Amino acid sequence: MDETLVHRILVDHIGELTARTGKMLTSVADADGGATSFGDKDLFYFDGVPGDLRVMPYSDGQQMTVKVIGTNEARTEVPDKISVGKCLLIHPRDHYVMGVLDVAALSSLRTAVGILLGRQASSPGEAPAPRLGIVGAGRVGFYTALAFQRAGLIDSCAAFDPGPGAVERMLELCRLESGPAVVPCSSLTELLARCDSVVLATDARRPVLGGADIDAYGLRFVASVGADADNLRELADDVPGAPVSFLVGSPLCFCLGDLKRWQQRDLLQPDGVTYLHQALAAPRGTAGPTCYISTGFPMLDHAAATFAYEIATAHGLGRPLAPTPRTAR
């Protein structure tokens, strides 16, 4: 299943994918699962090579997936993707590869679904619709805007990205997909003044937002999903000291980025946060702002990959793998 097919299936069924992912996370809470319930995340580094290689397996007892993904910081041969690799669907008993999916769209869209679930869990019931701002107008930003619109939360959003043409590309993608209207902002300050909910989906190496900003602009919800490597940062070190409730994707998210650094500096510990599966199982809402942080975890990939695979096989989409186990000699 190539990038275009994965994109088409997941975009056309984004509401179903969100519900499926939420149900999967809630089942973990019902089972009182620990960190191992979210899969594993092994990182590999090579001297002189920027970025890392990640292997992320997950099994729900019925289906198994393994995502092999690289952070493409060099961008020499594939200049427009920060994430490159494949997700394998593997037979849970015989261990042969049943399906192979490109992962740039899959990884970005499952991240967007996580952000949407985080926002819904932090503001249950009849909370006001967010005035959404996207910082970083790449794939994650685009899919997040689409997910929020498809969920009926927004008709438009603001976007800021210092990269040349980035916001314009996001605007065009939203137009092609009948997504929300995109209001370009010339600066981060302009975006913060317009919004009460902000999604950081950047490859920044210095903090983009601080606790003082959250307070000064009256932000209700902040999602940070871009600091998914040790050399990346999105949130300043005063955020843990601010009156903010922390919602984290899974315990695995403490292995990278801002959360890892804060834990090492004793600014925020895993027992000082609420995890997404807990918030979905018992949504209470928070009086102050919520900060959702997630660098991704295998359960999210598994939900998206198995869903896309089921749709594709039901409709005869994609190219068949050969030889299949039944015909191999």
Side-chain angles (χ1 to χ4, degrees), residues 155-175:
D155 295 316
S156 65
C157 66
F160 168 70
D161 193 312
V167 174
E168 288 75 13
R169 287 192 295 272
M170 177 178 169
L171 190 154
E172 178 63 12
L173 287 171
C174 283
R175 186 189 67 80

Side-chain angles (χ1 to χ4, degrees), residues 259-301:
L259 287 173
K260 177 181 177 180
R261 190 178 66 258
W262 290 345
Q263 183 181 13
Q264 291 173 338
R265 299 180 62 182
D266 202 24
L267 297 175
L268 185 68
Q269 296 298 326
D271 60 1
V273 307
T274 300
Y275 292 106
L276 183 56
H277 68 287
Q278 297 170 332
L280 290 170
R284 300 185 185 90
T286 56
T290 297
C291 186
Y292 171 76
I293 305 176
S294 180
T295 55
F297 50 99
M299 180 186 281
L300 296 183
D301 299 305

